[in-house]
Amino acid sequence: MKSVWKIIYFTVAVALFAGCADETALETVPDTTDNAAEETATDSSSTDSEDEKDTEESGSGEDATSEEASGSGLDAYSSEEIEYARVWLQLGPNQDIDGLYVKKIPLGTPLNPDDETSAEYPEDVIQLAGSRLVDGSVTYSGNGDGTVNVYKVPLRWDGEYPAGEDFYKSLIVDTELVTIDVGEDEEVIRLIELLEIED
């Protein structure tokens, strides 16, 4: 009987000792599973915030790039103003002008109002001129595709009249089709700011 009690006592002691040993082991060994989960969560949240930051930076970079591409500085001006400036920039005899005057001439207007034998413009045309006679002029009609029909008519008519219908008709037949370049934005804007459009 003493041996049975010894065995029971010994078993209980071993069980208690083993339980204490497990508990001590748990207390001394850090719980890596919770820490690992917290670290993973922290890492992923910091990675997410870095990704968001990178996305915002790259997004703002893309916006800036697209703004630069589309916002060439000409957005504030009408397509007509840009056309007048580009035509003068390419075809105007004098680029050093104080003002750029725009006169809209409707279809059917005589080329030379002072001559009864004058032919009439077969379409609406635009006449661009500098502020001085020496600046010259450009008379044209736009085709809406980056090209213009240039009429070889002077700003002021000199000569003997009547000049005759054949003379004026030859000016209409001799119109020149010209492709207008885009030009430098700064130069286009400079000319737009000199525009005086006649109503």
Side-chain angles (χ1 to χ4, degrees), residues 142-148 177-179:
N143 296 316
D145 61 357
T147 65
V148 295
L177 181 67
V178 177
T179 300

Side-chain angles (χ1 to χ4, degrees), residues 6 20 24 30 34 54 63 75 99 104 135 150 166 179 189 199:
K6 280 184 185 179
C20 289
T24 307
D34 290 342
D54 290 344
D63 290 344
D75 292 343
K104 298 177 181 179
D135 293 334
V150 180
D166 291 340
T179 300
I189 291 168
D199 292 326

Side-chain angles (χ1 to χ4, degrees), residues 98-118:
D98 299 326
L100 180 56
Y101 295 85
V102 180
K103 182 177 181 182
K104 298 177 181 179
I105 302 172
L107 160 93
T109 302
L111 273 68
N112 182 355
D114 296 329
D115 188 348
E116 60 188 26
T117 63
S118 174

Side-chain angles (χ1 to χ4, degrees), residues 26 29-40:
L26 288 174
V29 175
D31 186 359
T32 55
T33 55
D34 290 342
N35 289 345
E38 284 176 12
E39 285 174 10
T40 305

Side-chain angles (χ1 to χ4, degrees), residues 46-73:
S46 67
T47 304
D48 289 347
S49 65
E50 286 173 13
D51 289 346
E52 287 171 9
K53 187 178 176 183
D54 290 344
T55 303
E56 287 171 6
E57 287 174 2
S58 68
S60 65
E62 286 169 12
D63 290 344
T65 305
S66 63
E67 251 178 52
E68 287 170 12
S70 68
S72 63

Side-chain angles (χ1 to χ4, degrees), residues 154-184:
L155 181 61
R156 303 245 172 101
W157 294 90
D158 294 323
E160 294 182 18
Y161 307 124
E165 289 181 22
D166 291 340
F167 169 74
Y168 291 109
K169 285 183 181 175
S170 70
L171 294 176
I172 292 171
V173 171
D174 285 346
T175 57
E176 182 183 358
L177 181 67
V178 177
T179 300
I180 299 300
D181 297 329
V182 174
E184 294 292 328

Side-chain angles (χ1 to χ4, degrees), residues 10 15 18 51 54 57 64 67 81 83 92 94 104 121 125 128 131-132 138 142-144 152 155 162 166 178:
F10 180 72
D51 289 346
D54 290 344
E57 287 174 2
E67 251 178 52
E81 291 172 321
E83 177 186 288
N94 184 14
K104 298 177 181 179
Y121 285 106
V125 297
L128 304 175
S131 55
R132 302 165 298 178
V138 178
N143 296 316
K152 297 174 186 172
L155 181 61
D166 291 340
V178 177

